[in-house]
């Protein structure tokens, strides 16, 4: 018989799945890496790098040296499309002044996004939006119908005041 999970700890946490869930390998070294950038300079303990790859790195994607040692993670991505830069927040124990301008950095191939994701953001997604698209969509703003100039509100025609917006009216008193 197993002992109870204990006070303040869920059964999932008692089985080893608490805080972080299963299947997260934050520091797993990728099998295949590609050059992603080169160091421009150090700034406030972080590295500022110029993007040399045609794709853009994920935020928090692990940055490695050529020998696959993880030195930090992508913190910020900035700059114009034709001159993208990114910063690397270094891991504990890694010093920014141990690298010199021009040093190359690497990333796992699975941690790169195509540039088109940023230059043409709507091409991959449908333009319907959340909840079925358009004004009103699923649920809308209430009312039984729409007139051509009401902007989505219920009409005040012969049928009364429309259906309302849900909830229960308990009166004013």
């Amino acid at each position: 018989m197993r002992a109870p999970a204990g006070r303040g700890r869920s059964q999932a946490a008692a089985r080893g799945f608490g805080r972080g869930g299963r299947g997260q390998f934050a520091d797993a070294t990728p099998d295949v890496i590609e050059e992603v950038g080169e160091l421009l300079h150090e700034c406030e303990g972080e590295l500022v790098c110029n993007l040399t790859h045609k794709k853009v790195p994920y935020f928090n994607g692990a940055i490695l040296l050529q020998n696959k040692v993880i030195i930090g993670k992508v913190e910020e991505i900035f700059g114009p499309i034709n001159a993208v830069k990114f910063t690397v927040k270094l891991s504990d124990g890694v010093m920014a002044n141990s690298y010199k301008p021009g040093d190359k950095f690497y990333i796992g191939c699975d941690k790169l996004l195509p540039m088109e994701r940023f230059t043409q953001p709507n091409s991959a997604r449908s333009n319907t939006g959340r909840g079925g698209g358009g004004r009103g969509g699923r649920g809308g703003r209430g009312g039984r119908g729409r007139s051509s100039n009401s902007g989505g509100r219920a009409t005040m025609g012969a049928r009364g005041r429309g259906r309302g917006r849900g909830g229960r009216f308990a009166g004013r008193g």
Side-chain angles (χ1 to χ4, degrees):
M1 183 171 154
R2 189 179 354 187
R7 190 173 191 114
R9 194 168 166 198
S10 71
Q11 286 183 344
R15 287 188 222 117
F17 303 135
R19 294 241 170 178
R22 336 179 200 188
Q24 289 189 351
F25 302 102
D27 292 333
T29 306
D31 293 332
V32 181
I33 61 173
E34 292 184 14
E35 181 183 319
V36 71
E38 65 180 33
L39 179 63
L40 291 175
H41 58 85
E42 178 267 336
C43 180
E44 297 181 4
E46 293 185 0
L47 303 177
V48 179
C49 299
N50 194 23
L51 184 71
T52 58
H53 201 281
K54 64 182 182 254
K55 294 184 177 181
V56 179
Y58 275 34
F59 287 104
N60 292 324
I63 298 296
L64 306 97
L65 297 175
Q66 190 171 13
N67 60 0
K68 295 187 179 181
V69 172
I70 297 174
I71 62 161
K73 294 184 175 189
V74 175
E75 179 76 9
E76 293 182 70
I77 301 171
F78 59 95
I81 295 295
N82 57 358
V84 178
K85 299 183 180 25
F86 63 96
T87 62
V88 179
K89 183 177 176 94
L90 297 170
S91 302
D92 293 336
V94 180
M95 303 298 294
N97 57 10
S98 60
Y99 302 101
K100 59 186 182 304
D103 284 352
K104 309 267 187 232
F105 297 107
Y106 300 82
I107 194 167
C109 297
D110 60 334
K111 298 294 181 184
L112 292 166
L113 291 168
M115 187 68 79
E116 292 81 36
R117 186 91 175 255
F118 303 96
T119 58
Q120 302 166 359
N122 291 331
S123 65
R125 300 181 198 138
S126 64
N127 58 1
T128 58
R130 184 176 158 197
R135 190 171 191 161
R138 194 176 68 196
R141 293 190 71 175
R144 290 183 187 260
R146 289 173 71 171
S147 68
S148 61
N149 61 357
S150 67
R153 296 202 181 238
T155 58
M156 299 285 244
R159 296 192 144 215
R161 304 187 81 185
R163 204 160 75 175
R165 292 166 88 169
R168 189 173 58 143
F169 180 69
R172 289 203 169 138

